[in-house]
Amino acid sequence: MHSFHTILFLALYLFFSFCSHLPARETDIEQLKADIASLQEALKRHATETYIVIDTAHNRLQVWHNNQMIREATCATGSGKVLLHPGASARWQFYTPLGIRTILHKVTDPIWAKPLWAFVENGEEPTVLPWEFRRLDRTTLGAYALKLGDGYEIHGTLYPTLLGRHITHGCIRLNDEDLAFVYRSLQVGDRVYIY
Amino acid sequence: MLLVETHVSGQDKIVLQNYREALVRELDQVKTSPDDFYLIIDIPSKQIHLKAQGNVLRTCAILSLSPIEERHTYNYRFVNRIDPISVEPGNANLRLRGRLFPLDFSRRLIEGPRHRSRLYFAPNLVIRADGVSTGATPHITLSPVDIKALGSALRPGNIAIFIPHVEANH
C-alpha cells in the first residue's frame, strides 16, 4: 500500500512536470487575450475621445479622435523671449506651458484685453484702468478662442505667414480654417497635451 | 509540423504575457501619475509611443537598436537629456533693450531639445538619433524629428515601459 502511494506520487509528479514544459495551450492564449482586452478597456476609461496634441518643438497641432489623428495644422507657439519692465519692476517670459491642460471656455469673436506687457513691449504708456478703450483689441485673436487657463489660449492670427515659428507670447496661434475646425471639434473639458 | 506549431504557440504566449504586463504597468502609471507623459517602447512592433492618460500623442518608428538585455517587460526611467549645444557661460545675462542677447529667439533654440539630443534612461539605455555616438550603451535610434519631440516632452522621472522582442529560441 505504501509503495502504491509512492508510485502514484511519482507518477503525478512526472505528469505535472511534463505538463509544465508543454507548449502554451489554446486556453492559456485565450485567457491572455481576454486579460489584454479587459486591460485595454480599463485604459480606455482613462483616455479621452477627442483631444489636441501640440508639438512645440516643431509647431504642429494635431486633433485626435478615438486614437486617430483627424487633423494636423501648423501653429505658432511661445518664443521664449524675456521682457523686462523698465526699472525691472516686472519680468515676463513668453513660453508656451508644457504639460496637460483642459479647455475651460470657448469664445466666439474674442476681445483681447491687452495685458501690461503688450504696452511695455511696444514702448507705449500702459493704461491704468482695465476697461480703457486702448486696452481692448477686437481683431488680433481672430474669430474664435479656446481658453486654457492662466491667460493661455488657442486663437487666430493676423499674421498667418508667421505660423510654424516660435513667435508668440505663449498662446497657440492657428490660421482661420484650422481654428474653425478646432473650435467645432473640441468641447469644453477636452484635454490639450502640450510637449 | 506539429512541433513547429506548438513552438510558435509558446512564443505567442510570451509575447501576449509581455503585452499584458505592459498594460498592467501602463494602467498603474495612468492611475498613479495622471499628469505625466510616458513612453511605450514596443520592440516587437518597432515603435515608440508617447502617451499621457492612455491617449496616444505621438508614434515614432524605431530605425535600429542595439542588443538590449531585458527579456521581460520592464520600466525604464528617464534621467536627463543631453543636448549638443548648451549656453556659453560668458553669454549668460547679456541683454539688449531688456531682451536676452544675442537674439530674441536664441534662448529657446539654444536651451531647447535638438535633433541630435540624447535621451538617457536608467538603467542603461539611450534613445538617440542616427549618427549620434553613445559608446557601448544600449541604444534605440529614432529619426531626428522624433528625438526633438520626445526631448521636449520628457521630464526626469518619466517612465518608459519596455516591451522586449521575443527570440524564437526562448
Side-chain angles (χ1 to χ4, degrees):
Chain A
M1 191 64 184
H2 184 73
S3 62
F4 172 74
H5 280 135
T6 309
I7 291 166
L8 183 65
F9 174 78
L10 279 172
L12 285 171
Y13 175 78
L14 288 171
F15 174 73
F16 283 116
S17 299
F18 177 71
C19 285
S20 68
H21 287 87
L22 276 178
R25 289 180 302 167
E26 288 272 323
T27 49
D28 292 344
I29 301 288
E30 291 309 311
Q31 182 59 49
L32 278 169
K33 285 180 179 172
D35 288 352
I36 287 171
S38 156
L39 285 162
Q40 282 173 333
E41 202 55 41
L43 200 57
K44 255 188 200 171
R45 285 196 284 274
H46 291 272
T48 44
E49 209 170 59
T50 310
Y51 54 95
I52 290 177
V53 177
I54 297 167
D55 173 0
T56 63
H58 300 101
N59 286 308
R60 305 294 290 173
L61 180 146
Q62 298 170 341
V63 180
W64 288 66
H65 183 72
N66 287 335
N67 275 333
Q68 295 288 320
M69 188 176 60
I70 58 171
R71 181 103 173 188
E72 187 169 29
T74 302
C75 62
T77 56
S79 66
K81 276 194 277 186
V82 174
L83 179 66
L84 294 176
H85 193 282
S89 58
R91 180 182 186 277
W92 298 273
Q93 190 157 12
F94 300 123
Y95 273 117
T96 298
L98 306 184
I100 302 171
R101 294 207 162 233
T102 302
I103 296 172
L104 303 177
H105 303 288
K106 290 169 65 177
V107 184
T108 52
D109 299 321
I111 296 171
W112 183 37
K114 285 187 187 175
L116 178 59
W117 55 254
F119 293 96
V120 173
E121 190 176 49
N122 291 330
E124 297 171 2
E125 191 62 33
T127 58
V128 178
L129 302 171
W131 55 84
E132 270 188 45
F133 183 74
R134 275 201 308 135
R135 195 181 275 267
L136 304 179
D137 181 333
R138 292 174 180 276
T139 55
T140 299
L141 301 186
Y144 309 103
L146 292 87
K147 294 184 180 289
L148 307 177
D150 301 325
Y152 296 103
E153 302 177 3
I154 299 171
H155 60 67
T157 181
L158 295 173
Y159 313 103
T161 53
L162 296 180
L163 293 174
R165 299 186 186 195
H166 296 108
I167 197 91
T168 79
H169 299 94
C171 288
I172 297 102
R173 296 181 194 167
L174 287 173
N175 69 28
D176 293 346
E177 288 170 15
D178 292 325
L179 183 63
F181 182 86
V182 167
Y183 184 84
R184 284 196 309 269
S185 306
L186 278 291
Q187 305 303 321
V188 170
D190 285 341
R191 305 270 164 75
V192 179
Y193 299 97
I194 308 172
Y195 66 85
Chain B
M1 187 63 190
L2 179 67
L3 275 175
V4 171
E5 277 179 359
T6 52
H7 185 79
V8 169
S9 178
Q11 192 181 335
D12 285 351
K13 185 180 176 184
I14 298 170
V15 170
L16 289 173
Q17 280 173 336
N18 284 339
Y19 274 110
R20 181 180 63 181
E21 177 62 21
L23 280 166
V24 169
R25 287 167 186 256
E26 184 177 359
L27 202 54
D28 181 56
Q29 161 71 17
V30 167
K31 284 177 183 169
T32 55
S33 309
D35 296 332
D36 287 352
F37 294 144
Y38 58 92
L39 298 182
I40 305 288
I41 303 176
D42 188 347
I43 300 296
S45 68
K46 294 190 174 176
Q47 287 181 327
I48 293 182
H49 304 284
L50 173 66
K51 297 184 80 174
Q53 299 176 335
N55 291 318
V56 178
L57 311 185
R58 187 183 190 92
T59 296
C60 315
I62 295 175
L63 304 181
S64 65
L65 72 161
S66 67
I68 296 171
E69 284 181 9
E70 278 312 322
R71 297 290 173 206
H72 301 285
T73 300
Y74 185 80
N75 279 14
Y76 284 94
R77 196 161 288 278
F78 180 60
V79 180
N80 67 345
R81 186 188 79 223
I82 295 185
D83 305 321
I85 298 171
S86 54
V87 179
E88 293 277 340
N91 282 344
N93 300 319
L94 287 176
R95 290 195 175 87
L96 180 65
R97 292 165 58 193
R99 293 170 177 171
L100 280 185
F101 193 77
L103 293 168
D104 291 343
F105 308 108
S106 288
R107 192 160 191 275
R108 178 180 176 86
L109 294 177
I110 290 171
E111 293 187 351
R114 302 176 71 84
H115 289 133
R116 292 171 62 81
S117 295
R118 286 164 288 169
L119 311 175
Y120 283 86
F121 292 79
N124 214 23
L125 177 70
V126 186
I127 299 181
R128 61 173 211 190
D130 198 19
V132 176
S133 173
T134 50
T137 313
H139 60 264
I140 295 173
T141 306
L142 304 180
S143 76
V145 172
D146 287 332
I147 288 290
K148 190 172 179 180
L150 295 189
S152 177
L154 293 173
R155 295 287 167 271
N158 287 164
I159 67 155
I161 300 169
F162 180 85
I163 306 171
H165 177 65
V166 178
E167 301 283 351
N169 59 352
H170 277 84

